[in-house]
Amino acid sequence: MESTDATGAYGSDPSAPRVSADGPAAARTGPAASPVEPPTGPVVPPADPTTGHAVPPPDPPTGYAALAGLSAPYRAAAAVAVALVGVVAVVHLGMVFLHVAPSNTVSRQHSRAIDDWIYPEFEQNWKLFAPNPLQQDIAVQVRADTRGADGTVRTTGWYDLSAEDGRAVDGSLLPSHTRQNELRRAWDFFLASHDGEGRPVGLRGALSEQYLRRIAVLRLDRDGAVGRGGGIDRVQVRSVTTNVPPPRWSGEQVSTMPAYHELPWWTVPADEAEGGVK
């Protein structure tokens, strides 16, 4: 019986498929199938079938949708932060309203808490928008009893601190904030914290006296009122108020004579007497 060679049956082509005696399953030979590789290059968004234009990707979530995408601990922290900001905003608006509103039962009962919240960062000054704006020039002046290095005591003349600030600001392209506001605010603070007879009202009254006295001592030292080796024993502050003359066409008649408001002498503590605050 003759045997048939696979080469003779299918030719000499080595690439021709061969059928094994084991059946068709064994005949599926050749290189193993490789996995499908992802496409390279830019990703092209799908096109809208109606218009043919590319559909843009959806926008990232914002607002409540973004918060909803957070985990539970982060959502709780965000809710607490939002609630805290809301409470602070409501309290701040209420304090400012009570501060600028006319005096009432609530503002009088809680005046200490309102002042502690408002001053000094959130003070509201409405003089610019008042029906009758301020029509006076107020100058703050100071004099002192000085003690020389040899022990002699003398009283200086009046130093016009407001005029010094005015000369320093006038014509300056970048005027000093201290020159513009320090003395004026200190005097307003003093008046607001004292009654009609000049007596301090609470702790803020005593604080305003200390603040104004320290400014006076520093300014006197700057002006050379204290000689070398000397000091200041006490100071006296006064205000000089002069009405601004009305325009000629108004026909209004006001007195332009200055009015003086002298404060009592204040003793300067030893740590300030050498011409500075230590």
Side-chain angles (χ1 to χ4, degrees):
M1 182 176 180
E2 297 180 359
S3 62
T4 304
D5 191 334
T7 304
Y10 296 98
S12 61
D13 188 3
S15 62
R18 289 174 171 77
V19 178
S20 173
D22 295 335
R28 299 188 188 101
T29 60
S34 61
V36 179
E37 298 182 357
T40 59
V43 178
V44 179
D48 190 341
T50 58
T51 61
H53 299 294
V55 179
D59 295 331
T62 58
Y64 291 106
L67 293 177
L70 300 175
S71 61
Y74 284 103
R75 288 201 302 269
V80 171
V82 172
L84 183 61
V85 171
V87 170
V88 172
V90 171
V91 172
H92 177 69
L93 292 176
M95 290 293 189
V96 173
F97 173 78
L98 292 174
H99 176 67
V100 301
S103 179
N104 54 74
T105 304
V106 177
S107 62
R108 288 192 297 268
Q109 184 177 359
H110 302 283
S111 59
R112 179 71 176 273
I114 295 172
D115 289 344
D116 291 342
W117 182 277
I118 293 296
Y119 294 103
E121 289 84 3
F122 307 115
E123 181 182 2
Q124 305 293 314
N125 191 328
W126 300 103
K127 291 180 180 180
L128 178 63
F129 306 99
N132 187 19
L134 188 64
Q135 299 178 1
Q136 296 174 327
D137 284 333
I138 302 176
V140 178
Q141 301 176 350
V142 63
R143 65 177 177 177
D145 282 347
T146 61
R147 174 179 28 84
D150 56 356
T152 59
V153 177
R154 71 181 184 90
T155 301
T156 68
W158 289 100
Y159 287 79
D160 194 334
L161 306 183
S162 297
E164 294 177 0
D165 287 348
R167 288 191 296 268
V169 171
D170 188 22
S172 175
L173 295 178
L174 297 173
S176 167
H177 181 77
T178 301
R179 287 290 195 178
Q180 294 180 80
N181 298 309
E182 181 187 55
L183 185 62
R184 177 181 60 84
R185 296 290 298 275
W187 183 251
D188 289 343
F189 180 30
F190 176 85
L191 294 180
S193 56
H194 285 70
D195 59 17
E197 298 181 1
R199 294 173 299 191
V201 179
L203 296 177
R204 293 181 63 83
L207 179 62
S208 67
E209 292 181 2
Q210 183 182 16
Y211 183 47
L212 187 59
R213 186 191 70 237
R214 290 189 174 188
I215 292 176
V217 172
L218 289 172
R219 298 290 185 89
L220 288 171
D221 179 65
R222 181 190 302 169
D223 292 338
V226 183
R228 182 181 298 273
I232 299 177
D233 291 335
R234 57 179 189 162
V235 295
Q236 185 181 28
V237 179
R238 75 176 182 182
S239 67
V240 183
T241 303
T242 307
N243 292 323
V244 177
R248 296 179 180 179
W249 49 262
S250 67
E252 184 180 359
Q253 299 294 328
V254 296
S255 174
T256 57
M257 294 295 295
Y260 296 89
H261 177 201
E262 291 188 0
L263 303 181
W265 285 91
W266 291 333
T267 301
V268 179
D271 59 347
E272 300 177 23
E274 303 301 326
V277 179
K278 300 178 182 178

